[in-house]
Amino acid sequence: MEKDSTYQDYEAFLLLTEGAEAELVEKKSRFIATVRPVASETEAEAFIEEMKKKYYDARHNCSAFVIGNRAQVTRSSDDGEPGGTAGRPMLEVLLGSGIRNVAVVVTRYFGGTLLGTGGLVRAYTGVVKEALEKCVAVRQQFGVRFTVRTDYNSVGKIQYLLAGSNVKMEDSVYEADVVLTVTAPIEVYGRLCKEMTEATSGRAQITELSRLYFSM
């Protein structure tokens, strides 16, 4: 089935698989960004509390997180910094990165010199960007997992069509018939089904197994 309004909410996104840290010093103030993958709001809040305990002697532990493939849940905190100078700018960096299910805490040790509103925003966003550059993320795309059952003479045609759409097989079983297990992006699934049916004169039996996000 072709991509339509039913699937417009299932846009591709980046999923964090490995967090990272970064540090920045601005006018003797030390900013430490810690980024971590989180699966829920509860997990994000626990991570924030963990960082506050770890850096209990810091002046501020500002935070932001994004949960859900469409950023359904977002939160941010300035933790005592002037309103809008830390948490919200940090959140905007996370949203702009396209990474989801991610949380960041930026710890600040005050260096004795006021940075001003602009200086704070630049410092907090800058150290978050540095940390994100060190992270590992994988692209997640919405698709369909299905099987194709066909005869031996048609396998080559099926494989040719899959390769032409840059779709890889997950598994293949060669018995009386050949059964291929495939996951394809939703936007190419309908076209692939039609092409495989036509190429095999209807001998390809396609069975949809599930609709899911998968790593590209």
Side-chain angles (χ1 to χ4, degrees), residues 2-214:
E2 299 295 343
K3 186 175 182 181
D4 55 32
S5 59
T6 306
Y7 301 105
Q8 287 178 356
D9 290 337
Y10 295 98
E11 296 181 355
F13 65 97
L14 294 173
L15 186 65
L16 198 68
T17 58
E18 186 178 324
E21 295 183 2
E23 184 172 331
L24 179 151
V25 177
E26 185 68 28
K27 294 183 179 179
K28 297 183 179 180
S29 276
R30 183 183 174 205
F31 296 83
I32 306 168
T34 307
V35 179
R36 184 178 296 178
V38 290
S40 65
E41 185 173 0
T42 300
E43 193 172 324
E45 291 172 347
F47 162 62
I48 293 168
E49 289 304 312
E50 177 189 333
M51 291 299 101
K52 287 183 176 180
K53 290 179 181 179
K54 179 178 180 179
Y55 297 109
Y56 67 91
D57 56 341
R59 177 71 68 90
H60 307 282
N61 282 288
C62 305
S63 59
F65 61 83
V66 179
I67 304 295
N69 61 292
R70 290 181 287 119
Q72 291 94 324
V73 180
T74 62
R75 299 283 188 277
S76 63
S77 170
D78 293 314
D79 194 38
E81 291 282 28
T85 61
R88 185 65 198 183
M90 290 162 54
L91 178 59
E92 292 298 332
V93 172
L94 293 184
L95 290 170
S97 72
I99 298 174
R100 301 296 178 254
N101 289 2
V102 59
V104 59
V105 175
V106 176
T107 301
R108 181 190 182 191
Y109 286 94
F110 184 56
T113 302
L114 296 176
L115 301 182
T117 300
L120 287 173
V121 171
R122 285 190 295 274
Y124 278 104
T125 57
V127 75
V128 173
K129 289 177 181 177
E130 284 189 25
L132 288 177
E133 289 175 357
K134 298 179 180 179
C135 292
V136 178
V138 294
R139 181 179 172 83
Q140 299 285 305
Q141 186 158 338
F142 191 69
V144 182
R145 189 168 185 262
F146 60 97
T147 58
V148 183
R149 179 183 293 274
T150 189
D151 56 50
Y152 279 73
N153 292 331
S154 300
V155 172
K157 297 176 182 178
I158 299 296
Q159 293 174 329
Y160 176 79
L161 290 171
L162 293 176
S165 295
N166 198 28
V167 173
K168 297 180 180 180
M169 289 185 296
E170 295 179 10
D171 191 26
S172 58
V173 177
Y174 290 80
E175 294 180 343
D177 290 323
V178 181
V179 179
L180 309 177
T181 302
V182 182
T183 300
I186 188 69
E187 57 264 36
V188 304
Y189 174 60
R191 173 177 57 78
L192 261 180
C193 289
K194 182 179 179 181
E195 290 177 350
M196 289 187 292
T197 300
E198 292 176 349
T200 62
S201 300
R203 291 190 297 275
Q205 300 175 23
I206 302 167
T207 303
E208 183 176 318
L209 301 177
S210 59
R211 300 195 171 199
L212 72 171
Y213 276 101
F214 67 102

